[in-house]
């Protein structure tokens, strides 16, 4: 199919014209498949398209444009650091997509004597305990399944899946309107509505999707839907209260040092209470992530207000303590 594409700046060719040429050459292929393959090649930086009076004209990129080059040692180093950071959230099976840029960055670094070994002097670590990926149970789901889901989201086409709920022994079959993707740490969610109830979006964990079949019908999008507004409704249940509250903490040690450089919420202020302790006040929507941040520093952080957040943290600590005070 690539042989059908002219090289830029020559005039591009439509998917319809490519389909006709391939049929004339004896190939059995649908126009839909051609359009899908063109999108995949576009994602791999091999081709581009532009709109011409409502039609997409496709063309190959000149060799030198296929992979953007790093401009200098600083840009190259940023590419290396970005790769090290992304590896904690991207599936390992698609790391190859950034490897070409990464190798160019390393080549740029190697041309500068003082920075040629800089990559060996920088190490990016996860914020928190780094979770290792189980190669037999990727948190992002099976590679082929994930690609089909992402493509359905891009093309806004319906899909059929079998989904394994924790409380059901047998995976359930369902027809969905894929609406978007939410990534939280190493967990990827599909946001979709059932075709028989298109106005009510749901979350589906990618690693629980056992099979996928892409459809050809366009999705039905809920009225006034946006991914940001849907996420604000707290679909994952990690928001404790759906409105901002004022939070006051007492902090010391490393926690105090962290908050001198970073803010937990809007309007954060810090007041010294003595040699060790400081009082930190900020406004935020309280979540389980905030509780986890407070608990991670142990006795170096105390929640003063609001009362419901202090009570929730206290209850969590009491439950945890009971695990260590009861004989096993």
């Amino acid at each position: 199919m690539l042989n059908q594409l002219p090289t830029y700046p020559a005039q591009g060719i439509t998917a319809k014209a490519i389909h006709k040429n391939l049929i004339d050459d004896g190939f059995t292929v649908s126009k839909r498949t051609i359009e899908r393959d063109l999108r995949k090649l576009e994602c791999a930086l091999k081709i581009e398209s532009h709109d011409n009076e409502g039609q997409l004209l496709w063309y190959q990129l000149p060799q030198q444009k296929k992979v953007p080059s790093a401009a200098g040692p600083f840009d190259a180093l940023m590419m290396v650091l970005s790769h090290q950071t992304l590896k904690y959230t991207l599936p390992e099976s698609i790391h190859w997509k950034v490897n070409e840029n990464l190798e160019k960055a390393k080549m740029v670094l190697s041309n500068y004597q003082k920075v040629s070994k800089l990559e060996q002097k920088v190490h990016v670590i996860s914020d928190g305990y780094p979770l290792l990926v189980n190669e037999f149970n990727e948190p992002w789901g099976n590679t082929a399944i994930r690609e089909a889901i992402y493509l359905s989201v891009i093309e806004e086409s319906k899909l059929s899946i079998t989904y394994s709920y924790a409380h059901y022994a047998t995976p359930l079959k369902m027809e969905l309107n894929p609406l978007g993707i939410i990534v939280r740490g190493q967990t990827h969610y599909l946001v979709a509505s059932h075709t028989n109830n298109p106005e009510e979006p749901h979350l589906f964990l990618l690693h629980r999707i056992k099979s996928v079949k892409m459809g050809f019908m366009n999705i039905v999008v809920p009225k006034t839907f946006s991914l940001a507004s849907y996420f604000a409704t707290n679909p994952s249940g990690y928001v404790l209260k759906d409105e901002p509250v004022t939070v006051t903490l007492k902090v010391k040690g490393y926690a105090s040092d962290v908050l001198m450089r970073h803010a937990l919420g809007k309007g954060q202020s810090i007041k010294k209470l003595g040699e060790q302790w400081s009082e930190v006040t900020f406004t935020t929507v309280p979540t389980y992530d905030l509780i986890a941040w407070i608990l991670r520093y142990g006795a170096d952080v105390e929640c003063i207000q609001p009362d419901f957040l202090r009570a929730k943290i206290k209850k969590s600590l009491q439950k945890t303590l009971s695990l260590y005070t009861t004989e096993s």
Side-chain angles (χ1 to χ4, degrees):
M1 186 175 71
L2 276 175
N3 293 334
Q4 299 283 334
L5 301 180
T7 300
Y8 184 84
Q11 178 74 13
I13 185 173
T14 64
K16 182 178 180 180
I18 296 173
H19 178 245
K20 182 180 183 304
N21 292 342
L22 291 176
I23 294 298
D24 291 345
D25 289 341
F27 291 95
T28 303
V29 62
S30 69
K31 179 172 173 285
R32 182 77 171 181
T33 299
I34 291 171
E35 290 172 340
R36 190 172 299 160
D37 288 346
L38 288 170
R39 290 294 186 190
K40 287 183 178 180
L41 289 169
E42 185 178 31
C43 291
L45 302 179
K46 296 181 182 296
I47 65 174
E48 283 189 359
S49 65
H50 70 270
D51 187 279
N52 181 35
E53 297 180 353
Q55 292 191 96
L56 286 180
L57 297 179
W58 295 90
Y59 51 85
Q60 296 189 63
L61 294 173
Q63 183 67 31
Q64 68 271 21
K65 286 190 177 182
K66 286 186 179 178
V67 180
S69 60
F74 179 79
D75 295 323
L77 179 60
M78 290 304 100
M79 176 65 72
V80 172
L81 292 178
S82 297
H83 178 262
Q84 290 192 28
T85 303
L86 284 171
K87 70 182 180 182
Y88 292 109
T89 55
L90 287 178
E92 192 170 337
S93 56
I94 64 171
H95 283 183
W96 66 271
K97 291 182 182 291
V98 296
N99 279 348
E100 288 183 83
N101 281 358
L102 182 63
E103 290 305 314
K104 282 211 166 192
K106 289 180 179 179
M107 289 176 62
V108 171
L109 289 175
S110 68
N111 292 329
Y112 294 81
Q113 184 176 1
K114 289 186 178 181
V115 298
S116 60
K117 296 183 179 180
L118 191 53
E119 184 195 2
Q120 302 170 20
K121 301 176 182 179
V122 177
H123 182 64
V124 177
I125 61 174
S126 173
D127 182 23
Y129 191 83
L131 297 175
L132 303 179
V133 176
N134 182 344
E135 61 178 315
F136 301 108
N137 186 24
E138 277 196 6
W140 309 281
N142 173 278
T143 300
I145 289 176
R146 184 180 60 251
E147 288 184 357
I149 291 170
Y150 287 171
L151 200 56
S152 292
V153 171
I154 293 170
E155 296 189 348
E156 299 185 341
S157 57
K158 294 180 180 180
L159 78 164
S160 305
I161 70 169
T162 54
Y163 191 78
S164 177
Y165 286 99
H167 50 283
Y168 287 108
T170 305
L172 301 180
K173 295 181 179 180
M174 52 190 73
E175 306 285 326
L176 300 177
N177 297 301
L179 303 170
I181 300 292
I182 291 177
V183 179
R184 185 165 181 259
Q186 291 190 329
T187 304
H188 291 209
Y189 298 88
L190 168 66
V191 180
S193 64
H194 294 279
T195 54
N196 60 0
N197 187 14
E199 292 298 317
E200 188 176 345
H202 298 275
L203 284 182
F204 299 89
L205 288 161
L206 258 63
H207 66 270
R208 290 189 176 275
I209 298 175
K210 303 305 178 185
S211 68
V212 171
K213 182 179 180 182
M214 294 185 64
F216 300 99
M217 300 293 291
N218 291 333
I219 65 171
V220 177
V221 180
K223 296 174 183 177
T224 70
F225 173 84
S226 75
L227 197 58
S229 61
Y230 173 70
F231 183 73
T233 65
N234 188 26
S236 61
Y238 86 111
V239 176
L240 299 173
K241 201 169 185 177
D242 59 0
E243 59 184 21
V245 298
T246 299
V247 179
T248 300
L249 307 176
K250 278 178 62 179
V251 299
K252 68 175 182 177
Y254 182 63
S256 178
D257 183 60
V258 168
L259 294 184
M260 292 295 292
R261 296 175 286 111
H262 304 280
L264 286 171
K266 295 181 179 179
Q268 178 170 294
S269 63
I270 301 177
K271 181 175 68 175
K272 290 289 290 183
L273 299 178
E275 290 188 8
Q276 284 192 321
W277 290 96
S278 297
E279 183 181 86
V280 180
T281 303
F282 56 93
T283 301
T284 189
V285 173
T287 66
Y288 282 102
D289 286 343
L290 176 59
I291 291 179
W293 188 93
I294 292 171
L295 293 176
R296 74 187 290 186
Y297 293 102
D300 283 357
V301 178
E302 178 188 359
C303 177
I304 305 301
Q305 67 172 20
D307 292 340
F308 81 89
L309 185 61
R310 180 181 173 89
K312 203 165 190 68
I313 293 171
K314 181 178 179 180
K315 186 176 181 180
S316 177
L317 288 169
Q318 288 172 334
K319 284 185 176 180
T320 302
L321 183 60
S322 70
L323 297 176
Y324 294 89
T325 54
T326 304
E327 293 295 331
S328 58

